[in-house]
Amino acid sequence: SQQGEEDPQALSIQEGENATMNCSYKTSINNLQWYRQNSGRGLVHLILIRSNEREKHSGRLRVTLDTSKKSSSLLITASRAADTASYFCATDKGAAGNKLTFGGGTRVLVKP
Amino acid sequence: ETGVTQSPTHLIKTRGQQVTLRCSSQSGHNTVSWYQQALGQGPQFIFQYYREEENGRGNFPPRFSGLQFPNYSSELNVNALELDDSALYLCASSLEADNEQFFGPGTRLTVL
């Protein structure tokens, strides 16, 4: 079963616009990570936010975490056509055997 | 590039056959995790190996088995293939069992 659920399932925007996607999860976590996947290939790690952090930035990415609502959001600012991909959130509980539990993903299309 | 490689890239098998997928970890990493990603879904955790021992297993039947070798490369074996085993199989290596995971490009398995 999947821990996280992304919303929306798909997103279509124009180049230059911002893209926001959300992730909800069910149980307590240690870390939450966001990954990008192009055309069904390998996952690229974007950003990790720990359960005691509320916001994190990396380049054009901004991630927030609200542990009281068990939710996270990923904002991509000034999107580019190259940002077209599927985005997944993944949580772990920090126990030995760092199993990642993924959501179903948000498919983002950035139109030039 | 994460330094994690997988072979083969694509594979076609028929129902009932057996398959072996291979993963070469990033240099110095002693932990490898395997995930199954069905089309349109997020990856699901199969199992993790840490220093050649299984270190956690997801909800997969025993016909999914694995090995990790002294050089920390790894194999995923699936016996008695079923149509539903068609998926992208991803391996991820990490420095220790509870560290960030770096994903390989995946092996696309099609079962006919």
Side-chain angles (χ1 to χ4, degrees):
Chain A
S1 62
Q2 302 197 305
Q3 155 92 305
E5 292 295 331
E6 278 93 338
D7 169 55
Q9 291 187 337
L11 185 59
S12 180
I13 56 175
Q14 293 293 137
E15 208 166 22
E17 293 180 339
N18 295 341
T20 300
M21 59 210 85
N22 304 295
C23 166
S24 60
Y25 56 92
K26 299 172 185 173
T27 62
S28 62
I29 62 169
N30 188 49
N31 303 307
L32 186 144
Q33 304 179 58
W34 285 91
Y35 286 84
R36 185 185 75 224
Q37 185 177 43
N38 292 85
S39 303
R41 298 304 289 167
L43 296 166
V44 175
H45 185 263
L46 296 176
I47 197 164
L48 179 151
I49 186 164
R50 303 191 185 283
S51 59
N52 62 353
E53 297 176 312
R54 292 297 167 258
E55 188 170 315
K56 207 160 182 182
H57 296 255
S58 177
R60 293 184 296 112
L61 305 179
R62 173 179 171 255
V63 168
T64 62
L65 179 64
D66 186 336
T67 53
S68 67
K69 294 181 179 178
K70 292 187 170 61
S71 68
S72 172
S73 68
L74 170 67
L75 167 68
I76 305 172
T77 60
S79 63
R80 305 167 182 168
D83 295 329
T84 294
S86 291
Y87 292 82
F88 295 91
C89 68
T91 59
D92 72 76
K93 296 186 177 182
N98 189 25
K99 160 189 169 181
L100 293 179
T101 304
F102 286 84
T106 294
R107 282 161 288 287
V108 175
L109 172 64
V110 182
K111 293 180 280 188
Chain B
E1 294 293 328
T2 62
V4 179
T5 60
Q6 291 186 244
S7 63
T9 305
H10 295 90
L11 201 52
I12 299 174
K13 291 285 188 178
T14 55
R15 195 170 45 183
Q17 285 188 313
Q18 177 266 342
V19 69
T20 298
L21 310 182
R22 294 179 174 83
C23 173
S24 178
S25 300
Q26 191 173 111
S27 178
H29 286 189
N30 58 22
T31 303
V32 64
S33 303
W34 285 90
Y35 294 83
Q36 180 196 65
Q37 186 179 20
L39 197 61
Q41 297 183 22
Q44 294 208 16
F45 176 75
I46 303 175
F47 42 57
Q48 183 184 84
Y49 279 81
Y50 171 66
R51 296 182 185 271
E52 303 178 57
E53 297 285 333
E54 188 176 291
N55 188 41
R57 189 178 181 93
N59 189 27
F60 281 81
R63 59 190 185 83
F64 285 78
S65 63
L67 279 174
Q68 187 182 29
F69 300 100
N71 66 355
Y72 300 135
S73 64
S74 175
E75 285 182 357
L76 164 65
N77 298 291
V78 187
N79 293 324
L81 284 167
E82 301 177 359
L83 298 179
D84 285 349
D85 296 333
S86 294
L88 180 68
Y89 288 85
L90 298 161
C91 77
S93 73
S94 53
L95 191 58
E96 291 289 333
D98 59 351
N99 282 19
E100 177 184 342
Q101 297 182 25
F102 296 84
F103 283 81
T107 293
R108 171 83 51 194
L109 172 65
T110 302
V111 182
L112 302 176

